[in-house]
Amino acid sequence: MSAIKELENLEIDLQQQLSQEVKKLLESWEKKKASYKGEFYSYTVRGKEIKVENYVESLSHTKIPKILLPRFKDWGEIVKWSMQENVPGEFPYTAGVYPFKRMNEDPTRMFAGEGSPERTNKRFHYLSKGMPAARLSTAFDSVTLYGEDPDYRPDIYGKIGNSGVSIATLDDAKKLYSGFDLSSPTTSVSMTINGPAPMILAYYMNAAIDQECEKYIVANNLVEQTEKLIEELYRDSGMARPVYLDEDGSNALPEGNNGLGLLLLGVTGDQVLPQDVYNECKIKALSSVRGTVQADILKEDQAQNTCIFSTEFALRMMGDVQEYFIAEKVRNFYSVSISGYHIAEAGANPISQLAFTISNGFTYVEYYLSRGMKIDDFAPNLSFFFSNGVDPEYSVIGRVARRIWAKAIKLKYGGNERSQMLKYHIQTSGRSLHAQEIDFNDIRTTLQALYAIYDNCNSLHTNAYDEAITTPTEESVRRAIAIQLIINRELGLAKNENPLQGSFIIEELTDLVEEAVLTEFRRITERGGVLGAMENMYQRNKIQEESLYYEQLKHSGEYPIVGVNTFLSSKGSPTVIPQEVIRSTTEEKEQQIKNVRSFQERNREKIGAAITKLQDDSVHNRNIFASLMDAAKVSSLGQLTNALYEVGGQYRRNM
Amino acid sequence: METVAPYKTTNKVRIVTAASLFDGHDAAINVMRRIIQATGCEVIHLGHNRSVADVVSCAIQEDVQSIAMTSYQGGHIEYLKYMYDLLHEQHAGHVKIFAGGGGTILPVEIEELQAHGIARVYSPDDGRHMGLQGMINDLVEQSDFVTPNIFAANLSTAVAERNPAAIAQAISAAERNDMASIDFVKGAKQSPVLGITGTGGAGKSSLTDELIRRFLADFPDKRLGVISVDPSKRKTGGALLGDRIRMNSVSSPRVYMRSIATREANVAINKHVGDVVKILSYAGFDLILVETAGIGQSDSQITEVADVSMYVMTPEYGAASQLEKIDMIDYADIVALNKFDKRGALDALRDVKKQMQRSRTAFNVSPDTMPVFGTIASQFNDPGTNTLYSEIITLLNDRCAVGWKSSYSISEEMSEKIYIIPPERTRYLAEIAEENERYDAYVESQSDIARKLWQVKSTVEMLKK
């Protein structure tokens, strides 16, 4: 009896040592398990109750649970699992940020961009045909990526519309996304642009606002009246109105494009609608647009080099954009996609990719906080972007990223649940594609996509097998999309949404990679934080060393690559040389030059005041994004870039 | 693969390296330029995203034999042909162009480019067969010639007209000790010379670039010559002339810039710098900047050619006693304490001023009056750099009686940095790691307690049964 008494005392003592949250966790464990066992699981999002089926039935009538909890009985295991793993949608979000995957929307997001805005618009409509949601991802040509205008100068001319779409004006942006309702919750647009990101974003937002104006005009039977107004505006100027013109020189819209966004080509909504109506349309558009702009200047300086402004000025503009987002309630658009992809493509191993990327993310957090923004106001506007190769660490990259982020935001920065959720896009590794035996590339991409989908990525691009040698064709892109669709819709195990949890190796890798990332955080701290380390080119040098290590092992054959350094065909698996490469046509180049020049000509008298206001805001350290939004209505990309060089300074290259 | 020995040059070979316009892929060209340097060449590296005009004007001003380009972003046909044509147009057809772009340049395009006159476009297969050193040997061997004297007897006139190719050739003649060719510069009235030296990594070239930008804006009709000296490697004879990559302002048509290697060991300055100054003076440049690499004791050689000399350092020199070892604090007219946003900058400013006061035995004046300026060259329109610039112009006016009227006024304010990350916050990543580990330890201990509790509870239940 006294033994029991002693034990009971011990029990009371232990009870007291247990924290409240852990007590609650233990108390609710069985209930939590039960909630995934019934037919439906229900939860609330922004005040709305959502009911989700807990099972998917296989052809054999087996009920496959979407979310499985461990079979632990030991409270120690239950506590540890709940606090380090937990179910998807609960802190520390190791298994995923949402309780369940989105229904009616696959994570598929395919990168595309080629030639004129019209040609890319056509490709966008082709890619989203039959998809429940339009998830567009925009590749810009290098002229645009460096913030300049198309021009006849030969070193510029050859690059117009190659490896991406040429965008130099608001009209280009309107054409590019025409036929997609930019305010619809089922449209999500990603834009891969960094140096001139604020300007391209301003074009995009203006395009969305003008679409909203167009919808208002149509709904209120004002189309005829508006057309007349525009005609008058143009008659006075004596200039021709810009038009949507496809590569065959026809004005016909591609299949799927209903023309939304083209009514106000050549004008802006505020020229044809009363100011109060325009403002309402603006508020509606800004609060509805959904998407991402890459705009990650830190990784540009560390790895990819599409910097155009001094790093400090570029960072300041990122802060300006975020502040504007908060003020204008742009809630569904990510102001930055903090990217490891380019760090990995430049040669970093998965641990460095993760460590550098997340450390860049925390640098933005620190900067925005130092500008007086509140963590819960901006953290939900941050998103991430990683590469997935075939290394073992890639199987847990999302898990580790989510866990580190959630812990830091909750414990160090005191952010709320929405702020703690790290959402990320995956692109399969371009570097893992080889120019030999290019058919094998789809196999690599499939495995990488599987890693990504099992790890609950929020968005996924699968590379086409021919990307190592050329610009992908419709056929190769279709196969790349099929990879995702087959995993998402056919692969039985993928019906379960936490297939990685409970695996010994996955848990071990998660801990190892997390620890390695934290070690890297300390190394960066020793160098004065991310910016201090960048000054001494720490990240860049480390990326180069790791790249060299890979090349050495690949060269020696120690790192096997099938069809490249082992398992060669009887012909030796030669490098595949493409017969021809898809390049932009002369007509497209000429059209882009002509369009930007007539745009400049049309706005010749308006640009002065807009630029003066923009520069004045900048010189006086005011937020420049509002005046950039206005200047973008009347200025070409090159004009904006050069105006900002004068007040912000050009990027200074490093060696 | 068998190792190929580096080619041995008979002439001093100078090569411009760069990546194409709107092209950030600089990994390959960085590997190549290192091998070119190790093969004994002087490399002027421009880095990524370079227009044809940038590269061609650099090639001409630097009087190089060749240009080595990479292009991975498309548009290479137009880019390289334009480069070739522009070189010919500007009487520099002797400059050879070499290029590479991996698989992005198709075999038929290589043929087309070589037929147009591009010396060679290396394909991935060339890389496989020749090896890196083999490719570089091929490139350097084809570049191993003396650049032709295109002006002959008209050199002096062309230099006086500030033809950049002529100035470049005159400087090359001086470097070859061919004094007869530049005899005409004797007796030219020397233009004011600003000497800039400092330790590596102090941000010297960024600060120089910022000063050039201000000068060009301040005096819209004045011209500037820039001489930048970097050390030659004793082992290979090669040199990395790396200042141009940091200079954004030198693309102005009012600037001529020449990068030169010391071509001697243990010196900070090339023995022909005096001749180069004469050539640029003869050409009528209003101000000449001479920038040299700080390599210790020899830094003060700069004062031999400069009317006004400036020493660039950072607050990170260690203990104040280290300052006593810096020769240039004794010789410099001005000290720029760059990277003034670093921790301890204000202490450093005071210490350097005191050291300068001791050196000048100026104990009757306050150390505050010593010409030491805190600057942040990386910050656009940095007020500290504005103050420094004004002080330099004042000194040049005093020393050289040039009578320049600057519209930059000296402000008393210190350069107040707008921080991205405030200095006291730079430990954020370590704090995150600590917080993370604290949480893990907490989870571990709670998990242990929960386990024990479960065990005790179960035991009690068993005993009670």
Side-chain angles (χ1 to χ4, degrees):
Chain A
M1 200 53 199
S2 72
I4 292 182
K5 188 72 203 157
E6 237 172 85
L7 282 171
E8 279 175 343
N9 285 339
L10 181 57
E11 190 184 326
I12 292 164
D13 186 36
L14 287 166
Q15 281 278 12
Q16 278 166 350
Q17 290 179 45
L18 224 46
S19 73
Q20 278 309 315
E21 64 167 329
V22 172
K23 272 184 202 155
K24 247 193 236 160
L25 175 169
L26 285 168
E27 278 159 20
S28 57
W29 177 250
E30 287 305 325
K31 207 177 133 210
K32 185 170 182 172
K33 271 179 95 164
S35 67
Y36 290 95
K37 288 229 164 101
E39 199 180 342
F40 292 101
Y41 181 94
S42 70
Y43 62 108
T44 48
V45 174
R46 291 190 198 176
K48 260 198 318 205
E49 195 195 1
I50 296 180
K51 265 176 103 176
V52 184
E53 285 178 31
N54 268 328
Y55 297 92
V56 177
E57 201 180 276
S58 76
L59 285 179
S60 325
H61 308 292
T62 310
K63 283 170 83 182
I64 310 297
K66 282 189 185 161
I67 301 295
L68 264 175
L69 274 70
R71 297 174 174 180
F72 301 141
K73 299 265 186 256
D74 177 338
W75 288 5
E77 296 296 343
I78 292 168
V79 166
K80 191 169 176 186
W81 188 87
S82 301
M83 297 180 83
Q84 293 286 13
E85 284 278 335
N86 217 344
V87 290
E90 287 184 32
F91 183 83
Y93 305 100
T94 307
V97 290
Y98 298 119
F100 291 91
K101 290 191 178 186
R102 271 175 187 272
M103 285 169 299
N104 313 321
E105 187 168 331
D106 288 330
T108 310
R109 188 193 284 287
M110 300 301 286
F111 195 37
E114 203 66 48
S116 63
E118 287 90 337
R119 172 136 62 119
T120 302
N121 177 254
K122 188 174 167 188
R123 176 66 77 96
F124 280 156
H125 282 287
Y126 170 82
L127 286 172
S128 33
K129 200 166 66 184
M131 293 284 189
R135 295 170 59 92
L136 316 176
S137 174
T138 322
F140 296 95
D141 72 357
S142 60
V143 185
T144 311
L145 291 176
Y146 281 87
E148 294 293 336
D149 289 336
D151 195 89
Y152 284 114
R153 219 179 75 197
D155 48 352
I156 296 176
Y157 188 81
K159 294 185 166 79
I160 304 169
N162 278 320
S163 327
V165 60
S166 162
I167 298 295
T169 64
L170 174 56
D171 288 331
D172 285 345
K174 287 180 179 176
K175 291 177 197 168
L176 177 63
Y177 301 114
S178 64
F180 295 102
D181 183 349
L182 299 180
S183 297
S184 155
T186 58
T187 305
S188 168
V189 176
S190 156
M191 295 181 285
T192 299
I193 191 131
N194 294 280
M199 293 87 101
I200 294 292
L201 184 66
Y203 288 146
Y204 181 84
M205 292 298 179
N206 273 306
I209 294 165
D210 283 350
Q211 274 197 0
E212 215 43 52
C213 294
E214 179 175 335
K215 286 196 278 184
Y216 175 90
I217 290 164
V218 172
N220 290 281
N221 292 320
L222 299 169
V223 176
E224 235 173 273
Q225 185 192 324
T226 306
E227 286 281 10
K228 244 165 114 187
L229 238 132
I230 299 173
E231 256 169 52
E232 272 167 34
L233 281 169
Y234 272 80
R235 201 171 41 235
D236 294 345
S237 72
M239 311 258 321
R241 265 184 81 179
V243 287
Y244 185 103
L245 200 67
D246 78 7
E247 64 232 70
D248 308 320
S250 117
N251 301 121
L253 298 178
E255 195 187 336
N257 186 341
N258 63 5
L260 175 64
L262 297 174
L263 177 69
L264 298 183
L265 216 50
V267 291
T268 46
D270 50 355
Q271 286 178 282
V272 295
L273 286 174
Q275 196 61 43
D276 57 329
V277 176
Y278 177 78
N279 286 343
E280 261 169 50
C281 291
K282 183 172 174 180
I283 290 167
K284 172 122 197 292
L286 291 178
S287 60
S288 328
V289 283
R290 183 179 157 210
T292 312
V293 59
Q294 196 163 77
D296 174 13
I297 214 67
L298 291 175
K299 69 97 177 42
E300 288 300 326
D301 205 356
Q302 291 159 11
Q304 173 155 289
N305 290 338
T306 61
C307 313
I308 58 173
F309 298 111
S310 69
T311 305
E312 216 176 68
F313 185 67
L315 281 166
R316 187 188 134 191
M317 284 198 291
M318 285 180 68
D320 286 355
V321 167
Q322 182 56 55
E323 262 179 6
Y324 182 91
F325 275 24
I326 294 169
E328 302 293 325
K329 303 194 171 53
V330 183
R331 281 171 58 98
N332 301 316
F333 207 95
Y334 297 111
S335 68
V336 57
S337 168
I338 304 157
S339 308
Y341 190 81
H342 320 85
I343 293 172
E345 287 294 292
N349 67 36
I351 291 174
S352 296
Q353 177 192 180
L354 191 54
F356 290 163
T357 309
I358 303 190
S359 63
N360 289 347
F362 287 126
T363 307
Y364 295 127
V365 169
E366 285 283 340
Y367 173 49
Y368 294 171
L369 287 173
S370 82
R371 281 187 59 163
M373 292 180 242
K374 297 206 170 53
I375 185 83
D376 293 334
D377 285 342
F378 68 79
N381 283 118
L382 309 178
S383 69
F384 287 80
F385 172 22
F386 300 109
S387 166
N388 250 19
V390 289
D391 306 41
E393 294 85 350
Y394 283 122
S395 60
V396 297
I397 195 164
R399 289 168 50 84
V400 178
R402 283 186 294 252
R403 190 151 95 183
I404 292 179
W405 188 256
K407 285 185 193 173
I409 298 295
K410 178 176 178 173
L411 305 167
K412 174 158 172 50
Y413 295 107
N416 65 20
E417 290 188 353
R418 207 165 158 245
S419 301
Q420 293 162 25
M421 297 180 186
L422 177 144
K423 284 155 277 180
Y424 69 103
H425 171 71
I426 286 282
Q427 180 169 344
T428 56
S429 164
R431 198 157 169 270
S432 75
L433 304 182
H434 298 280
Q436 292 159 266
E437 304 268 14
I438 60 173
D439 287 353
F440 295 0
N441 286 332
D442 270 341
I443 301 166
R444 296 188 177 96
T445 299
T446 304
L447 296 170
Q448 294 160 2
L450 193 63
Y451 270 171
I453 291 172
Y454 277 178
D455 199 6
N456 277 331
C457 70
N458 303 90
S459 170
L460 176 63
H461 168 105
T462 33
N463 288 327
Y465 69 96
D466 53 358
E467 275 180 60
I469 59 161
T470 184
T471 313
T473 59
E474 283 192 359
E475 177 264 347
S476 66
V477 170
R478 191 157 177 273
R479 279 171 62 165
I481 298 178
I483 289 173
Q484 299 194 30
L485 294 182
I486 289 167
I487 297 173
N488 282 326
R489 300 185 187 177
E490 295 185 23
L491 185 67
L493 191 56
K495 302 295 172 202
N496 170 265
E497 298 182 7
N498 64 342
L500 298 180
Q501 286 195 296
S503 152
F504 298 140
I505 180 64
I506 291 293
E507 287 181 357
E508 182 69 12
L509 272 174
T510 307
D511 290 348
L512 288 175
V513 174
E514 181 175 15
E515 201 182 306
V517 168
L518 297 182
T519 303
E520 189 59 48
F521 277 12
R522 293 202 164 87
R523 287 196 202 108
I524 296 172
T525 302
E526 282 164 23
R527 288 159 177 84
V530 166
L531 297 171
M534 276 163 72
E535 232 177 80
N536 300 317
M537 309 197 48
Y538 169 72
Q539 291 94 333
R540 196 173 270 258
N541 289 335
K542 191 149 198 283
I543 294 166
Q544 275 171 16
E545 271 166 37
E546 287 168 1
S547 172
L548 205 62
Y549 181 65
Y550 164 83
E551 293 296 339
Q552 277 165 354
L553 295 194
K554 173 181 157 189
H555 188 75
S556 71
E558 231 175 302
Y559 183 83
I561 303 174
V562 174
V564 175
N565 63 11
T566 182
F567 191 64
L568 301 185
S569 71
S570 56
K571 291 181 192 121
S573 299
T575 304
V576 181
I577 293 165
Q579 284 314 299
E580 55 169 345
V581 174
I582 307 169
R583 299 239 163 97
S584 56
T585 63
T586 308
E587 290 73 29
E588 283 176 310
K589 290 177 184 160
E590 302 278 334
Q591 184 184 323
Q592 284 307 101
I593 299 172
K594 197 185 105 213
N595 285 349
V596 73
R597 292 193 174 180
S598 48
F599 180 92
Q600 289 171 347
E601 179 62 23
R602 254 184 358 245
N603 293 292
R604 208 182 50 233
E605 280 163 16
K606 292 184 198 147
I607 183 170
I611 294 288
T612 306
K613 170 84 171 64
L614 176 66
Q615 292 185 327
D616 193 56
D617 281 346
S618 178
V619 171
H620 292 98
N621 283 325
R622 289 189 290 261
N623 189 317
I624 65 165
F625 195 68
S627 49
L628 185 57
M629 284 282 289
D630 286 334
K633 295 175 188 170
V634 294
S635 321
S636 71
L637 180 58
Q639 289 173 323
L640 292 172
T641 302
N642 286 290
L644 289 172
Y645 281 156
E646 289 172 23
V647 291
Q650 264 180 286
Y651 177 68
R652 195 173 274 124
R653 296 167 188 83
N654 257 315
M655 190 157 47
Chain B
M1 203 183 285
E2 58 178 309
T3 47
V4 183
Y7 169 82
K8 290 245 180 294
T9 57
T10 45
N11 301 286
K12 270 292 168 197
V13 176
R14 291 164 62 84
I15 294 176
V16 178
T17 55
S20 160
L21 186 65
F22 308 146
D23 186 349
H25 301 87
D26 62 352
I29 194 66
N30 266 316
V31 172
M32 299 298 168
R33 67 140 179 97
R34 285 200 189 100
I35 306 173
I36 297 174
Q37 285 158 223
T39 309
C41 302
E42 294 175 358
V43 170
I44 299 108
H45 183 56
L46 292 180
H48 64 278
N49 182 25
R50 288 296 185 171
S51 70
V52 167
D54 269 358
V55 178
V56 166
S57 108
C58 167
I60 291 172
Q61 293 183 8
E62 299 284 358
D63 194 27
V64 300
Q65 282 93 342
S66 300
I67 295 168
M69 293 293 313
T70 56
S71 168
Y72 286 90
Q73 195 76 58
H76 38 266
I77 299 269
E78 292 88 345
Y79 187 94
L80 292 170
K81 283 184 176 177
Y82 179 44
M83 180 173 282
Y84 179 88
D85 297 345
L86 208 60
L87 282 167
H88 277 259
E89 213 175 274
Q90 300 185 14
H91 312 291
H94 58 273
V95 177
K96 293 184 177 170
I97 303 168
F98 297 89
T104 66
I105 307 183
L106 301 178
V108 289
E109 294 175 326
I110 292 180
E111 282 170 35
E112 183 183 340
L113 286 166
Q114 292 182 170
H116 188 83
I118 307 304
R120 179 141 188 195
V121 180
Y122 299 99
S123 71
D125 277 343
D126 289 334
R128 234 161 278 146
H129 298 142
M130 305 165 85
L132 288 176
Q133 185 68 55
M135 281 198 293
I136 298 305
N137 280 355
D138 177 61
L139 184 158
V140 175
E141 192 173 351
Q142 291 193 56
S143 311
D144 192 2
F145 59 91
V146 178
T147 52
N149 179 357
I150 44 182
F151 298 93
N154 298 325
L155 189 62
S156 66
T157 324
V159 169
E161 286 167 351
R162 277 186 299 276
N163 179 320
I167 300 168
Q169 293 212 323
I171 294 174
S172 296
E175 282 199 292
R176 282 195 304 269
N177 248 328
D178 173 9
M179 293 311 182
S181 299
I182 55 159
D183 197 45
F184 58 87
V185 301
K186 264 192 204 157
K189 183 181 176 298
Q190 183 164 319
S191 306
V193 177
L194 170 66
I196 302 174
T197 188
T199 46
K204 205 171 6 119
S205 21
S206 309
L207 191 60
T208 306
D209 186 41
E210 285 299 314
L211 295 174
I212 296 172
R213 201 172 61 74
R214 285 167 175 76
F215 183 82
L216 294 173
D218 198 8
F219 300 106
D221 51 354
K222 294 214 186 306
R223 295 164 210 280
L224 196 74
V226 184
I227 307 165
S228 176
V229 190
D230 271 313
S232 297
K233 282 274 204 184
R234 241 159 100 183
K235 194 172 162 198
T236 59
L240 169 61
L241 307 179
D243 286 314
R244 260 188 194 265
I245 193 171
R246 309 281 295 156
M247 304 275 202
N248 288 332
S249 311
V250 298
S251 58
S252 161
R254 288 188 281 135
V255 177
Y256 172 91
M257 175 168 177
R258 178 67 172 242
S259 314
I260 57 183
T262 54
R263 297 192 181 175
E264 265 182 283
N266 295 322
V267 295
I269 208 161
N270 176 299
K271 61 185 173 200
H272 295 294
V273 162
D275 299 319
V276 180
V277 168
K278 277 184 202 151
I279 294 166
L280 293 177
S281 300
Y282 181 82
F285 286 95
D286 300 283
L287 173 65
I288 299 167
L289 257 57
V290 180
E291 187 195 331
T292 70
I295 54 164
Q297 293 302 312
S298 52
D299 298 358
S300 48
Q301 288 171 349
I302 190 88
T303 56
E304 292 160 23
V305 293
D307 297 301
V308 173
S309 51
M310 174 170 88
Y311 182 66
V312 186
M313 60 185 293
T314 71
E316 295 175 315
Y317 49 79
S321 58
Q322 294 297 324
L323 295 172
E324 296 171 37
K325 301 177 189 169
I326 302 175
D327 233 3
M328 270 307 284
I329 295 185
D330 301 340
Y331 290 102
D333 300 301
I334 304 178
V335 173
L337 203 54
N338 196 31
K339 304 196 178 176
F340 204 60
D341 48 337
K342 295 279 179 213
R343 261 168 194 256
L346 288 170
D347 292 343
L349 185 70
R350 192 197 56 224
D351 291 346
V352 175
K353 283 184 166 179
K354 278 192 173 161
Q355 181 59 31
M356 195 175 231
Q357 185 194 30
R358 277 194 291 274
S359 163
R360 295 183 173 187
T361 57
F363 296 111
N364 51 341
V365 296
S366 155
D368 291 342
T369 59
M370 290 294 123
V372 183
F373 299 91
T375 59
I376 307 166
S378 62
Q379 184 175 29
F380 188 77
N381 210 12
D382 166 49
T385 310
N386 287 339
T387 311
L388 173 73
Y389 169 78
S390 295
E391 182 65 19
I392 290 170
I393 298 298
T394 307
L395 271 171
L396 285 168
N397 272 327
D398 290 351
R399 298 266 169 92
C400 312
V402 281
W404 292 340
K405 295 218 181 338
S406 170
S407 56
Y408 269 78
S409 58
I410 295 187
S411 57
E412 288 296 314
E413 59 179 356
M414 295 285 299
S415 47
E416 189 101 30
K417 168 89 172 171
I418 301 162
Y419 292 108
I420 297 298
I421 305 290
E424 71 274 13
R425 287 289 325 131
T426 53
R427 281 197 77 257
Y428 59 104
L429 290 174
E431 289 168 12
I432 287 166
E434 286 153 16
E435 204 61 56
N436 186 306
E437 280 156 12
R438 199 192 55 73
Y439 177 79
D440 287 357
Y442 164 71
V443 171
E444 249 354 279
S445 83
Q446 287 288 307
S447 159
D448 278 348
I449 297 164
R451 174 171 300 112
K452 283 181 199 152
L453 183 61
W454 173 65
Q455 287 164 341
V456 171
K457 249 185 155 53
S458 308
T459 312
V460 171
E461 273 163 32
M462 276 189 287
L463 287 174
K464 278 185 173 169
K465 261 176 202 167

